[in-house]
Amino acid sequence: MDCFTASEIDEIDRLWRRLPIDHMWTGWATAGEAPQQVWIFRTRAHWRRFPLTKTARGYALADERGRRVFRAPTLADLLQAVEAMPGLDTMVQD
């Protein structure tokens, strides 16, 4: 896994801060000086945390189990990925 640069972390923060206060993307976090993963927090039908990683071709957003569910060439596409993740209530199968 590649590490996120300071400018990429700044871009994630800018994307998040542009959102309305009641948007489902409720926050983000990372640890360390050169993180390999950023956690995206979202709430809609419960709190959820999605790991974001860098790939050779861009970025990948995974679900709670680590399965890649969205790949994007730019961080700007991240917002669409967060909005496209199904809520927990729609994932329950009878």
Side-chain angles (χ1 to χ4, degrees):
M1 257 188 286
D2 292 336
C3 294
F4 284 88
T5 65
S7 63
E8 288 169 321
I9 297 297
D10 288 345
E11 185 175 355
I12 291 168
D13 190 57
R14 278 191 302 276
L15 287 168
W16 178 71
R17 289 184 185 277
R18 286 185 200 146
L19 299 173
I21 197 153
D22 60 345
H23 192 271
M24 67 180 69
W25 181 6
T26 59
W28 65 275
T30 191
E33 194 170 312
Q36 291 184 333
Q37 193 173 71
V38 173
W39 300 284
I40 304 297
F41 298 99
R42 194 194 83 168
T43 184
R44 177 172 279 177
H46 306 295
W47 284 91
R48 298 182 75 187
R49 179 181 74 172
F50 302 102
L52 174 68
T53 56
K54 284 181 69 169
T55 67
R57 296 182 184 165
Y59 305 90
L61 193 64
D63 65 10
E64 293 94 338
R65 294 187 175 131
R67 297 176 295 205
R68 287 185 180 176
V69 293
F70 186 83
R71 290 185 176 97
T74 69
L75 284 169
D77 296 325
L78 173 65
L79 182 59
Q80 293 175 338
V82 172
E83 292 173 345
M85 292 293 222
L88 290 176
D89 55 348
T90 59
M91 294 175 57
V92 175
Q93 296 180 0
D94 296 326

